[in-house]
């Protein structure tokens, strides 16, 4: 049986603020070490009026050790019974950081991340108090937003450092129904309050966020987006206009490239550019493109050679005639509206509405990915080509990110490639990426690890938990183990945006600031009857007109 180390106070009279020691250090090993906790001392402290002291011996709770004139703060990662009599508990801990000790009162102050000197085996272990946590989580002078309270307290505010969080991207992950959309809206609202002249684009695949940002955002959907088709680069043109695969696709792409370049040369803007490329965003007329394809087809000798031309022309005519594609492929979008489009979407200037909500729920499913690709690439290209101008950093937030950057297909789509590139290089050019997803394990490998700040809500799936654990820093392990036990609107935040990993209970949001993402109440709605004929008639009318 292991004996409990005898506690020998370093001072004959302990400072008045020092609570009773609850254990001692057993072993030290770099970032993770082991302490022994006395069950009787923990039981005595469990009824303490301070909820932080009461949770000292729990997984995810904090303890502190004195080293010279400093306090080392550590997080409890795991617990196990150490002896057969059940009097002692061994706890694996992760060191979080250190703070100075006030000589007279023993209080902790001036906390910073990292550890200069480690405690020695036998050093006493004390519970952390609310006063200590206030020092640990006190926001410094950097720009920050307050998003909730630090668990288990009710009054210590959790601060997110905006520059560090946006400078190295962030990800918000959590299973369906954990309050993910509301939490995303809360974070974006707080950023908008901090920077009313900011530049934020939110890709909203379900039309949830328009309700949340009516007052402080610019709302775009298929009715007013007016995204000119000629802003697409060649790769995106191929995704929309080509229907074949393999060697046939390459033949079609060569024809499209040749005719597209000629169509762009026909415009006044195209003629002014000496070395025009097929990727340049130059206005051209779709009718010019189809006419040129027809002219090229006329040069073919055999009927079999005309198949690629016919395929291309038929597809372009089909898209032109389909009213669902009117927001992008309308004949009204031929004018050079690039400057006004960028100003609208990127909020340049913002006029107190710094966020653009782009609702793509009404976009035909076969070109949704292309629309997101164009918006993402425009963000990145604008940042690249404006390098010598006064900086205007842009935050691109992508809801349901696993749709656009899926794992396992080596980013075969243009949207996967551009979002992957923003994740790797965006920081250099002032483009920040915010990824929101319920299935982090379905994201392309490496994208999550590019996110400097990870906000993890409850994850029910083992694969998702393992994926997030692999992307998080070593010191957050104790917090990560509590992910399955998080309640709704609770999360673990770790990385660049916080001083040390924290468990946070998000603030509530006013009804008018919440996204329209509530779950239907079956028990209540299934009691309501009447008016079914009109519901069906109105639904069929919209369905047939393909309008919302």
């Amino acid at each position: 049986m292991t004996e409990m180390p005898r506690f020998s106070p370093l001072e004959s009279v302990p400072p008045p603020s020092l609570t009773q020691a609850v254990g001692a250090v057993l072993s030290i090993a770099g970032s993770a070490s082991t302490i022994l906790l006395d069950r009787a001392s923990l039981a005595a402290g469990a009824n303490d009026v301070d909820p932080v002291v009461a949770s000292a011996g729990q997984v995810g709770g904090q303890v502190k050790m004195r080293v010279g004139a400093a306090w080392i703060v550590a997080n409890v990662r795991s617990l196990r019974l150490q002896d057969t009599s059940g009097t002692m508990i061994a706890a694996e801990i992760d060191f979080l950081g250190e703070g100075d000790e006030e000589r007279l009162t023993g209080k902790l102050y001036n906390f910073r991340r990292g550890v200069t000197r480690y405690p020695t085996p036998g050093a006493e272990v004390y519970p952390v108090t609310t006063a200590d946590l206030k020092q640990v989580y006190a926001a410094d002078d950097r720009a920050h937003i307050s998003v909730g309270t630090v668990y288990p307290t009710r009054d210590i505010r959790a601060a997110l450092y905006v520059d560090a969080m946006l400078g190295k991207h962030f990800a918000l992950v959590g299973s369906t129904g954990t309050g993910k959309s509301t939490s995303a809206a809360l974070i974006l609202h707080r950023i908008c309050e901090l920077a009313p002249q900011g530049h934020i684009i939110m890709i909203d695949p379900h039309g949830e966020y328009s309700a949340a940002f009516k007052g402080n955002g610019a709302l775009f959907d298929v009715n007013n987006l007016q995204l000119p088709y000629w802003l697409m680069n060649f790769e995106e043109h191929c995704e929309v206009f080509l229907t074949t695969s393999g060697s046939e696709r390459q033949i079609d792409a060569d024809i499209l490239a040749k005719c597209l370049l000629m169509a762009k040369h026909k415009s006044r803007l195209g003629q002014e550019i000496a070395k025009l490329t097929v990727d340049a965003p130059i206005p051209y007329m779709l009718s010019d493109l189809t006419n040129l394809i027809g002219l090229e087809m006329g040069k073919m000798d055999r009927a079999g050679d005309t198949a690629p031309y016919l395929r291309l022309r038929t597809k372009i005519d089909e898209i032109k005639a389909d009213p669902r594609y009117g927001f992008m492929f309308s004949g009204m979008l031929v004018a050079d509206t690039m400057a006004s489009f960028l100003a609208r979407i990127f909020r340049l200037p913002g006029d107190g509405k710094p966020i653009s909500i782009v609702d793509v729920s009404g976009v035909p499913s076969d070109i949704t990915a292309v629309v997101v690709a164009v918006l993402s690439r425009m963000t990145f290209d604008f940042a690249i080509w404006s390098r010598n101008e006064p900086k205007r950093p842009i935050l691109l937030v992508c809801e349901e990110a696993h749709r656009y950057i899926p794992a396992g297909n080596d980013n075969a789509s243009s949207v996967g490639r551009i979002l992957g590139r923003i994740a790797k290089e965006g920081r250099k050019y002032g483009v920040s990426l915010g990824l929101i997803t319920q299935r982090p394990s379905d994201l392309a490998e490496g994208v999550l690890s590019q996110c400097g700040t990870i906000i993890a809500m409850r994850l029910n799936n083992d694969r998702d938990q393992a994926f997030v654990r692999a992307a998080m820093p070593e010191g957050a392990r104790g917090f990560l183990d509590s992910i399955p036990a998080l309640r709704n609107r609770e999360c673990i935040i770790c990385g660049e945006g916080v001083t040390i990993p924290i468990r946070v209970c998000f603030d509530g949001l006013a009804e008018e600031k919440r996204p329209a993402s509530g779950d239907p109440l079956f028990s209540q709605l299934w009691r309501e009857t009447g008016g079914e004929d009109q519901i069906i008639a109105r639904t069929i009318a919209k369905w047939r007109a393909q309008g919302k």
Side-chain angles (χ1 to χ4, degrees):
M1 188 178 89
T2 315
E3 277 195 22
M4 184 72 177
R6 296 184 180 280
F7 304 144
S8 52
L10 299 176
E11 301 170 9
S12 54
V13 183
S17 75
L18 212 57
T19 50
Q20 191 65 38
V22 291
V25 175
L26 182 66
S27 66
I28 295 291
S31 61
S33 302
T34 308
I35 57 173
L36 284 177
L37 298 171
D38 179 25
R39 273 189 71 197
S41 300
L42 290 179
N47 300 318
D48 198 288
V49 289
D50 186 338
V52 181
V53 172
S55 68
Q58 297 177 10
V59 170
Q62 281 90 30
V63 292
K64 63 182 179 182
M65 292 134 266
R66 192 196 274 117
V67 178
W71 282 114
I72 309 286
V73 178
N75 186 63
V76 177
R77 183 197 294 190
S78 65
L79 299 168
R80 69 177 186 276
L81 206 58
Q82 180 70 5
D83 61 342
T84 50
S85 62
T87 58
M88 291 152 56
I89 296 168
E92 295 283 321
I93 58 169
D94 295 309
F95 292 114
L96 298 174
E98 64 185 12
D100 299 326
E101 180 190 14
E102 200 173 68
R103 271 199 170 284
L104 292 173
T105 63
K107 285 180 180 174
L108 180 151
Y109 71 100
N110 190 25
F111 181 83
R112 59 254 174 211
R113 190 189 288 191
V115 176
T116 314
R117 281 173 62 196
Y118 288 100
T120 53
E124 291 167 322
V125 174
Y126 296 91
V128 162
T129 65
T130 295
D132 294 332
L133 282 194
K134 280 184 177 168
Q135 287 295 320
V136 169
Y137 295 119
D140 57 30
D141 296 336
R142 290 180 288 169
H144 63 272
I145 54 171
S146 181
V147 291
T149 52
V150 176
Y151 177 88
T153 70
R154 290 184 181 171
D155 58 344
I156 298 179
R157 302 297 293 161
L160 273 172
Y161 296 111
V162 175
D163 295 328
M165 180 175 89
L166 301 186
K168 293 183 180 171
H169 314 310
F170 71 92
L172 171 58
V173 301
S175 295
T176 305
T178 55
K180 192 168 72 278
S181 300
T182 309
S183 304
L186 169 71
I187 291 168
L188 292 174
H189 273 300
R190 296 283 155 86
I191 291 174
C192 290
E193 287 162 17
L194 180 75
Q197 296 301 325
H199 313 285
I200 306 168
I201 302 175
M202 168 73 154
I203 308 290
D204 177 11
H206 302 304
E208 295 175 338
Y209 290 87
S210 296
F213 292 92
K214 291 192 293 279
N216 60 344
L219 313 178
F220 299 99
D221 59 16
V222 288
N223 299 314
N224 67 342
L225 182 59
Q226 294 179 318
L227 172 64
Y229 57 88
W230 47 264
L231 286 178
M232 295 190 294
N233 65 11
F234 179 62
E235 184 184 8
E236 291 147 3
H237 271 92
C238 289
E239 281 194 31
V240 178
F241 291 153
L242 303 192
T243 54
T244 50
S245 57
S247 59
E248 280 188 338
R249 188 178 180 85
Q250 189 55 54
I251 294 166
D252 292 5
D254 292 343
I255 294 166
L256 179 60
K258 184 180 180 183
C259 297
L260 192 56
L261 196 57
M262 288 194 289
K264 289 184 176 183
H265 262 302
K266 287 189 79 169
S267 72
R268 183 180 55 79
L269 264 175
Q271 289 164 9
E272 290 171 5
I273 296 171
K275 292 183 179 177
L276 186 63
T277 71
V278 74
D279 280 332
I282 299 292
Y284 70 91
M285 291 174 71
L286 282 172
S287 54
D288 281 346
L289 180 59
T290 50
N291 290 341
L292 285 162
I293 290 170
L295 286 171
E296 289 296 307
M297 182 168 62
K299 297 176 185 175
M300 294 295 107
D301 299 331
R302 293 177 304 169
D305 296 336
T306 60
Y309 297 91
L310 281 170
R311 273 196 303 263
L312 264 175
R313 198 167 68 175
T314 306
K315 182 65 176 175
I316 294 167
D317 288 340
E318 185 187 302
I319 286 173
K320 270 168 63 180
D322 192 331
R324 293 177 306 156
Y325 295 86
F327 73 96
M328 191 171 181
F329 291 94
S330 161
M332 308 297 289
L333 296 174
V334 176
D336 182 13
T337 53
M338 190 170 177
S340 61
F341 179 77
L342 294 178
R344 279 191 312 138
I345 294 291
F346 296 155
R347 314 307 303 141
L348 295 161
D351 296 325
K353 293 189 171 184
I355 185 166
S356 288
I357 304 293
V358 184
D359 173 3
V360 294
S361 60
V363 173
S365 56
D366 54 339
I367 64 161
T368 305
V370 173
V371 170
V372 177
V374 172
L375 292 168
S376 307
R377 186 183 48 75
M378 297 296 287
T379 308
F380 191 62
D381 284 355
F382 179 78
I384 287 177
W385 295 110
S386 64
R387 270 176 298 186
N388 297 326
E389 302 295 330
K391 271 207 181 314
R392 296 287 184 270
I394 298 170
L395 166 61
L396 176 67
V397 183
C398 197
E399 172 71 271
E400 298 279 357
H402 57 274
R403 279 188 182 192
Y404 307 117
I405 332 172
N409 67 350
D410 299 323
N411 290 342
S413 66
S414 55
V415 66
R417 273 193 287 275
I418 186 60
L419 287 174
R421 191 174 174 201
I422 291 173
K424 292 186 185 83
E425 304 172 35
R427 187 169 57 88
K428 302 172 192 168
Y429 303 108
V431 179
S432 179
L433 190 60
L435 301 176
I436 304 170
T437 178
Q438 58 193 332
R439 293 301 306 269
S441 59
D442 287 349
L443 273 177
E445 202 173 342
V447 171
L448 196 63
S449 58
Q450 297 283 346
C451 295
T453 305
I454 295 179
I455 303 162
M457 303 185 80
R458 188 174 70 250
L459 288 163
N460 302 327
N461 184 293
D462 286 346
R463 275 185 66 227
D464 291 331
Q465 290 169 25
F467 205 79
V468 172
R469 187 175 283 109
M472 280 192 171
E474 184 74 21
R477 288 287 165 83
F479 290 91
L480 284 174
D481 293 337
S482 59
I483 281 180
L486 292 173
R487 294 173 295 189
N488 285 359
R489 287 190 30 243
E490 276 191 355
C491 71
I492 306 295
I493 308 177
C494 70
E496 302 292 332
V498 285
T499 311
I500 59 171
I502 48 174
R503 179 172 170 180
V504 174
C505 180
F506 279 120
D507 291 337
L509 256 185
E511 191 65 42
E512 68 276 6
K513 290 187 171 183
R514 285 187 205 160
S517 59
D519 296 327
L521 301 171
F522 286 78
S523 59
Q524 183 182 321
L525 294 172
W526 276 355
R527 291 193 194 120
E528 298 174 9
T529 58
E532 281 82 0
D533 294 347
Q534 290 92 330
I535 291 172
I536 292 172
R538 286 193 298 267
T539 303
I540 290 172
K542 287 181 186 172
W543 199 338
R544 285 177 172 158
Q546 294 287 297
K548 294 183 76 182

